[in-house]
């Protein structure tokens, strides 16, 4: 029986090829495998615009081979029999030996973390009160704010969210707190940044125009009311931010 080739290439759509390497090649060591796969990917790109590899999500060596062969990680393909990771290289990708190409390769697989920006808005009442939003998509109340978009400054994101959700133009002040949120209820972990929204008259709520899709209402609440209405980790975060007013940025994990 003739020897099986180290790699196999198949055309999966117009000018798109998929590369697969043998278990025998992987057993020779990842560096030897990288040399072969990198060569064959380059050869395939002569006649194709895209070369991709799909490898099991639990196969660390296969992922290493794909990465250092110059294939950028694109995402997870979920499956009943197990998830797979999709890697690909395009004909016009910057060569890996150039700084921009190497950075793009690293950027494709290094961890990314979701960021959430919130604003701590207080009023002039004798008892400390903060602005809380009653949300349409969950029962817990929370500070105004939201997810930071890709490439967006967290400082600008929180002001944008407050404007979009409440119709209020409040510039974000100093960062009060960075709170790490562990994975929970189907969410990946995240960083929540709480910015100071300053002190305002209680009549501020009369100017609020809630975004109907996300906000039911908004009120200034005492810290006891925060404990009653917010999730426990949100209440801890709010108290930690309140306790750090004027103290410089602080760090907590789930409000602790």
């Amino acid at each position: 029986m003739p020897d099986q080739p180290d790699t196999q290439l198949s055309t999966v759509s117009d000018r798109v090829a998929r590369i697969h390497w043998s278990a025998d090649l992987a057993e020779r060591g990842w560096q030897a495998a990288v040399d072969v796969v990198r060569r064959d990917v380059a050869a395939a790109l002569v006649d194709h615009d895209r070369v991709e590899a799909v490898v099991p999500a639990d196969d660390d060596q296969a992922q290493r081979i794909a990465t250092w062969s110059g294939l950028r990680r694109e995402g997870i393909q979920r499956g009943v029999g197990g998830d797979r990771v999709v890697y690909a290289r395009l004909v016009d990708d910057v060569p890996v030996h150039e700084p921009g190409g190497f950075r793009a390769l690293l950027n494709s697989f290094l961890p990314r973390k979701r960021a959430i920006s919130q604003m701590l808005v207080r009023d002039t009442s004798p008892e400390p009160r903060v602005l809380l939003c009653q949300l349409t998509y969950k029962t817990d109340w929370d500070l105004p704010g939201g997810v930071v978009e890709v490439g967006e400054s967290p400082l600008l994101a929180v002001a944008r969210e407050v404007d979009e959700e409440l119709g209020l133009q409040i510039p974000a002040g100093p960062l009060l707190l960075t709170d790490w949120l562990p994975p929970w209820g189907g969410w990946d972990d995240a960083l929540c940044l709480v910015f100071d929204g300053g002190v305002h008259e209680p009549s501020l709520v009369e100017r609020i125009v809630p975004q109907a899709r996300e906000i039911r209402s908004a009120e200034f609440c005492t810290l006891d009311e925060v404990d009653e209405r917010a999730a426990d980790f949100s209440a801890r975060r709010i108290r930690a931010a309140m306790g750090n007013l004027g103290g410089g940025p602080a760090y907590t994990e789930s409000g602790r």
Side-chain angles (χ1 to χ4, degrees), residues 49-105:
D49 295 332
R50 171 185 169 93
V51 177
E52 62 185 30
V54 182
V55 303
D58 59 357
D59 190 336
D60 293 338
Q61 186 183 44
Q63 293 183 54
R64 193 177 189 189
I65 292 170
T67 297
W68 297 113
S69 298
L71 300 166
R72 298 185 193 178
R73 179 177 170 129
E74 293 187 337
I76 300 292
Q77 184 181 77
R78 296 186 301 147
V80 175
D83 294 345
R84 300 190 298 173
V85 188
V86 179
Y87 292 85
R89 184 158 190 83
L90 306 183
V91 68
D92 58 356
D93 281 345
V94 178
V96 177
H97 65 266
E98 296 184 14
F102 184 64
R103 288 193 296 268
L105 181 68

Side-chain angles (χ1 to χ4, degrees), residues 242-255:
M242 287 287 288
N244 195 53
L245 287 167
Y251 174 79
T252 56
E253 295 190 352
S254 193

